Amino acid sequence: MLGFREGLRRGCGARLALVAVLLAGVSGCKTQDDAVAAAKQMTTTAATLAAYYQTLDTVVGGTEDTFDAQAVLQGVPAMAPKTLEEIRAQLKLRRELAAKIADLASALTKMTGSTGAADSSKAATKLNAEMVSLAGKKSNDTETKAVTESVNLLMQLIQQHEEVKAAKQVEPVTAALAAFFQKEEPEYDALNDGYLTAAQSVAKMMVTSHQVGGDAAFVSALSPFGLTPAANEKTQAAMESQLLAKIDAEYKRREDEAHKATGAMYDSLKEMDARVSLVTRDQPMDIRQEPLTLKTVQGWIASTQKEAP
Amino acid sequence: MSDALTTVKQLFLACQTNLTVMLAACKTQEDHDAVVNQYVELRDSYYECIDKAFKENDAVLQVLEAQATSVTATVKRINTQLGDISKVIGYVTQAATIAGKIAAL
């Protein structure tokens, strides 16, 4: 007949193992990996969204400077700062929203990175080791392993259940955020278009009035000899058509780049929502890597911020 | 995009692109002033339309922020609960250990 402690040890291990096996049959552990991936993507997307709004603010700052330059060149009154300041205040509100999403992503990341299962598993190992010791058994008893694994699995399942519960709370927020961004996409593009068109206008005026040096075109020819170009007005006039064509080409490229970045930011938000939604439905996440659309946004952010005064 | 912004955008961008040519074509100061005034009005309307569209979304923005804050608190609470479950197992371990030792006496 089994002693009390031996019975407790065997019964506890067997029951835990049985429950864990039954639960594992109901739901696999992939949810946790998916939840980790979703939380990671959410963190990057929130950071990119904040940087996107910060870059739009830089664009509005550039617009203000461009209108000031235009006022000097053409005698057109500079823009009253009120409206642009209000737009910048609105962009700040959107950055704050992105910060809230980052907080949420951080809480989710903590949850998905919880050591609860491992901690419980260690505790269970300790429990069983004590019991084994009291019973005078060998410490590598197979039941020690069974109890440890069962507790680990149980904790993972509890965590998994809680992750699905959390994702169900998060999903309406990610869906609403994507819809909100989509609604404002035309305004974001309008800010970029307004800036680029005004900048193009000022740049062309500077070129046609020969106030832009064409020195860059001569650097390659002169640099081997340690010389620096100083193109005179005649040379600048000869280069006019070349410089105007360059402005048009660059305008088109930047306009496309900005529009693509806005579209890509929306796609990233939509993808984030889709992945959170998969976790809520316990469906497999085929791709866990960060979406490539985020790279498109980050590329625009980097090039715009690099050229900011 | 609102219809207003769509219309103003087309007009403003066209006017901005051709501003230099239009100003150069003015024969009198009166013509020049008229073009400048039209341009300034279009430019201001363009940015006011953008600002207005942002402000119209203020309510949605506030709801989204409140929702994000509330869900963050919920996720943190779930995190704490998960930690608590882990702690309970730890307590059970300690209790069982002590009980076992007492029984062995």
Side-chain angles (χ1 to χ4, degrees), chain A residues 5 129-137, chain B residues 96-102 104:
Chain A
R5 285 189 297 271
E130 290 285 353
M131 291 168 79
V132 164
S133 156
L134 286 169
K137 298 278 182 183
Chain B
T97 305
I98 292 163
K101 282 179 179 167
I102 290 167

Side-chain angles (χ1 to χ4, degrees), chain B residues 42-101:
Chain B
L42 269 175
R43 183 185 63 188
D44 291 354
S45 300
Y46 181 63
Y47 285 99
E48 277 160 16
C49 274
I50 296 172
D51 189 32
K52 191 168 168 250
F54 282 155
K55 283 178 180 163
E56 278 171 2
N57 292 334
D58 266 357
V60 182
L61 184 80
Q62 278 171 22
V63 168
L64 244 173
E65 268 204 36
Q67 223 180 337
T69 306
S70 152
V71 173
T72 304
T74 306
V75 172
K76 282 181 179 167
R77 205 165 44 241
I78 293 172
N79 257 335
T80 310
Q81 282 165 358
L82 270 173
D84 289 346
I85 291 168
S86 174
K87 272 183 207 155
V88 166
I89 292 179
Y91 295 148
V92 170
T93 303
Q94 283 175 6
T97 305
I98 292 163
K101 282 179 179 167

Side-chain angles (χ1 to χ4, degrees), chain A residues 271-291:
Chain A
E271 182 62 26
M272 176 175 83
D273 178 49
R275 291 188 187 183
V276 171
S277 183
L278 283 176
V279 176
T280 67
R281 285 179 280 124
D282 201 14
Q283 286 183 343
M285 194 182 287
D286 294 332
I287 302 169
R288 289 182 180 148
Q289 288 92 352
E290 280 173 9

